[in-house]
Amino acid sequence: MLESTSEFLDVVKCSSNTNAFGISLGGAVCYYMQHHRPDIIQRAILVSPAILCCVDKDLVNGIRDGTSNFCCLKSRQDAKLLMRDLSTGRDDDTRKKKDPVPKFFLETVYREARKKSPEGHFREVLLHLLEPTDESYAAGKDVDTESHRLVIWPEKDRIINYEEGKQFFEVSSSDDKDGGLASKSANTEFECVADC
């Protein structure tokens, strides 16, 4: 994925002053692209970047051992759980409606996934993404402290763990009067979205 993204940046002749933005898996791609292509990407905005060590450990283990199939959309129930987890989580009891999207939308997502993808396709893709091919992808902390970036992380993210993200970017409470967060890297701004 990173190789083809890097090739794309070359093909479209991105300048040496490019900014990148990514959410979840796109955030991880932006993070690693900025690390591997500092000649192009000068600043990145990452929202809950799905950097492997920050992905919820129970989810990763469930995907590997086959007990978490909701990402694979094998059933209508998987589609429902996926949409719950992508919003505020399946265990959120504070909302009136447990399911954030209407049934017809869930049905459409399920049918399209079944129609367009061979059996086991999504699981194989996820397993492939969970196996790092480069040492820097498996790192447990930021390997690129020189890059300029803004990291935005919802505090209650159920899939990409907020606390793991703070550890990865070496974030702690700052000493300033607003009580914000600060990364050890002077070039990383880390913002928490509280109650989200």
Side-chain angles (χ1 to χ4, degrees):
M1 185 181 304
L2 292 175
E3 288 174 13
S4 59
T5 304
S6 182
E7 289 172 13
F8 174 78
L9 295 176
D10 291 333
V11 169
V12 298
K13 297 178 173 58
C14 281
S15 74
S16 61
N17 192 22
T18 299
N19 295 319
F21 172 83
I23 300 171
S24 194
L25 182 56
V29 170
C30 284
Y31 171 80
Y32 290 115
M33 285 308 306
Q34 187 177 27
H35 175 63
H36 289 289
R37 295 299 304 268
D39 57 312
I40 293 178
I41 299 177
Q42 298 304 306
R43 183 159 171 82
I45 299 173
L46 315 173
V47 180
S48 291
I51 297 165
L52 185 56
C53 68
C54 300
V55 178
D56 183 74
K57 304 301 182 250
D58 291 334
L59 174 64
V60 170
N61 292 335
I63 291 168
R64 285 188 173 137
D65 68 19
T67 57
S68 286
N69 289 316
F70 71 94
C71 292
C72 303
L73 298 173
K74 287 179 146 183
S75 70
R76 287 170 176 82
Q77 181 68 10
D78 291 342
K80 184 187 295 187
L81 294 176
L82 176 63
M83 293 303 154
R84 283 183 192 169
D85 282 345
L86 289 175
S87 61
T88 58
R90 65 181 76 174
D91 301 323
D92 185 356
D93 295 326
T94 61
R95 30 197 271 189
K96 281 184 179 180
K97 291 182 74 175
K98 192 144 180 99
D99 294 311
V101 296
K103 287 183 182 180
F104 76 87
F105 181 78
L106 293 174
E107 186 64 23
T108 302
V109 168
Y110 171 72
R111 285 184 185 185
E112 286 300 308
R114 302 297 294 164
K115 183 174 22 173
K116 294 183 177 179
S117 303
E119 185 70 31
H121 169 75
F122 290 117
R123 185 166 191 279
E124 288 302 316
V125 169
L126 287 171
L127 289 173
H128 178 72
L129 290 173
L130 294 174
E131 297 303 324
T133 56
D134 182 301
E135 206 173 281
S136 64
Y137 305 143
K141 67 178 190 170
D142 186 5
V143 295
D144 187 18
T145 57
E146 298 302 313
S147 291
H148 293 270
R149 68 177 70 92
L150 168 62
V151 181
I152 302 169
W153 218 297
E155 186 178 46
K156 294 183 178 180
D157 192 318
R158 303 288 177 126
I159 295 174
I160 316 301
N161 187 286
Y162 169 72
E163 292 299 326
E164 296 288 340
K166 283 175 42 181
Q167 286 180 355
F168 183 83
F169 288 106
E170 299 182 275
V171 171
S172 59
S173 296
S174 66
D175 295 330
D176 60 16
K177 57 185 168 188
D178 72 357
L181 298 171
S183 172
K184 273 189 178 178
S185 166
N187 298 324
T188 298
E189 298 173 59
F190 193 97
E191 294 293 330
C192 166
V193 182
D195 296 323
C196 179

